[in-house]
Amino acid sequence: MDIAKIGKFLRKSRRRWGLTQGDVAEFLGVSAQAVSKWERGENLPDMAFLPDISKLLEVGIDEILDAGRISDEGEAQETGTIQKLVDEDLFEKILNRLRQIKNVEEMEMGLDFFVYLGARQKSDTIEAILAMKDYQLALDEILPYSNTAHRNAIVDHILAKCHYDLLEQLSTYMSNEMKAAALTKLLNEGRYDIIEDNITTFNRKHRDLIVQHFETNTPDIEIIENFIPFFDKNQRQRLSENIKIEEEEQ
């Protein structure tokens, strides 16, 4: 990350509003010398100040970080993706701050920076967020920029905590393997209500798992009837035969 470019961006944004370094310092509760060092590119503002800087200068946190691209001509682009801009020193500050937050609603800094993190940094950030109360409020901001491993970790956490109401929110980002794992756990726990709520997100192979479960663990007929409209002809036939067997044995 080119902190000199970030400094120039901060200076340009400040001047655009006719503010002095003293004005910025007073608003943030820091010294004018600290603001001067930021603008000269000698160091970066602490991550905790970014939300207030963003508010004062009316620029996004992502714009501030994006100002540190290696090249104005697009050299920060590498194989079609944006080069990661957050270095380890800055990331450690971000991570330490996140680990102090107990509830996502207390997260004043926002998550604009997430897109600029490397894979390992994203894993650490996700771990910190999942430890917070109401972590689900942050999922929409991080899921689009997460890889399969990150999403697996989120799904594993949700399943471990039995927060099944979040599965629908994640369905778009879940692989078929993730969905199969979630479905198997729901079936084993008899959470047919959650399965029914998410039935349209499951493909034919997933629905085969439901049929197989019903064949060996036949629930009340009313439960099966709720799923019948979502099964194909062969699946319905298998269930019909199984139900007849159960009736004859009784």
Side-chain angles (χ1 to χ4, degrees):
M1 180 188 298
D2 192 332
I3 62 174
K5 288 187 176 181
I6 291 179
K8 290 179 181 178
F9 177 80
L10 292 174
R11 181 171 64 249
K12 180 179 178 181
S13 299
R14 171 178 62 78
R15 289 176 174 175
R16 179 163 60 94
W17 294 106
L19 299 171
T20 66
Q21 291 182 345
D23 293 330
V24 176
E26 182 178 358
F27 182 81
L28 298 175
V30 299
S31 67
Q33 289 80 4
V35 176
S36 177
K37 288 183 178 181
W38 298 342
E39 294 188 356
R40 293 200 305 269
E42 293 184 14
N43 55 38
L44 288 168
D46 189 281
M47 189 64 192
F49 290 126
L50 291 186
D52 287 334
I53 293 173
S54 172
K55 181 188 301 183
L56 176 64
L57 303 181
E58 295 191 16
V59 295
I61 294 176
D62 56 338
E63 292 181 78
I64 297 173
L65 295 176
D66 194 44
R69 289 196 186 195
I70 293 176
S71 169
D72 292 332
E73 291 74 34
E75 291 177 7
Q77 297 281 333
E78 182 177 342
T79 63
T81 59
I82 299 177
Q83 183 169 336
K84 306 311 172 190
L85 303 178
V86 181
D87 63 24
E88 284 303 315
D89 288 340
L90 177 57
F91 176 68
E92 283 303 314
K93 292 180 180 180
I94 295 172
L95 189 60
N96 288 336
R97 175 65 174 162
L98 288 174
R99 287 171 173 165
Q100 296 172 11
I101 298 173
K102 303 300 182 182
N103 191 312
V104 167
E105 293 184 332
E106 301 171 1
M107 191 186 302
E108 297 179 355
M109 69 177 70
L111 289 167
D112 295 334
F113 64 87
F114 188 81
V115 67
Y116 300 109
L117 301 179
R120 194 269 307 161
Q121 292 174 334
K122 287 182 177 179
S123 294
D124 290 344
T125 301
I126 289 171
E127 182 180 355
I129 291 172
L130 292 179
M132 300 178 192
K133 183 180 179 181
D134 293 330
Y135 66 88
Q136 71 275 9
L137 299 177
L139 295 182
D140 285 340
E141 296 186 67
I142 63 178
L143 283 168
Y145 309 107
S146 302
N147 62 27
T148 299
H150 301 142
R151 294 169 183 173
N152 276 333
I154 295 172
V155 172
D156 287 345
H157 179 83
I158 287 173
L159 294 178
K161 295 293 184 179
C162 299
H163 294 165
Y164 301 136
D165 56 315
L166 300 180
L167 289 175
E168 185 174 0
Q169 181 181 358
L170 267 71
S171 63
T172 304
Y173 303 99
M174 293 172 66
S175 67
N176 288 332
E177 290 75 14
M178 292 183 207
K179 291 181 179 180
L183 178 57
T184 298
K185 191 172 192 295
L186 291 170
L187 287 170
N188 290 338
E189 295 184 2
R191 292 305 307 268
Y192 305 121
D193 55 331
I194 301 296
I195 297 172
E196 186 177 352
D197 288 342
N198 291 274
I199 190 64
T200 58
T201 69
F202 296 125
N203 61 26
R204 188 185 187 284
K205 289 185 177 180
H206 297 139
R207 296 176 192 185
D208 267 340
L209 291 176
I210 301 174
V211 173
Q212 291 171 14
H213 177 84
F214 286 169
E215 287 176 326
T216 56
N217 303 273
T218 308
D220 293 340
I221 186 64
E222 292 81 3
I223 292 175
I224 296 178
E225 288 176 344
N226 290 337
F227 287 91
I228 289 294
F230 302 99
F231 295 144
D232 62 27
K233 182 178 180 180
N234 290 334
Q235 290 168 336
R236 290 196 297 270
Q237 180 63 31
R238 286 168 54 189
L239 283 176
S240 176
E241 292 174 355
N242 186 68
I243 293 171
K244 288 180 180 178
I245 292 173
E246 290 292 315
E247 293 176 344
E248 290 174 359
E249 289 179 349
Q250 292 176 3

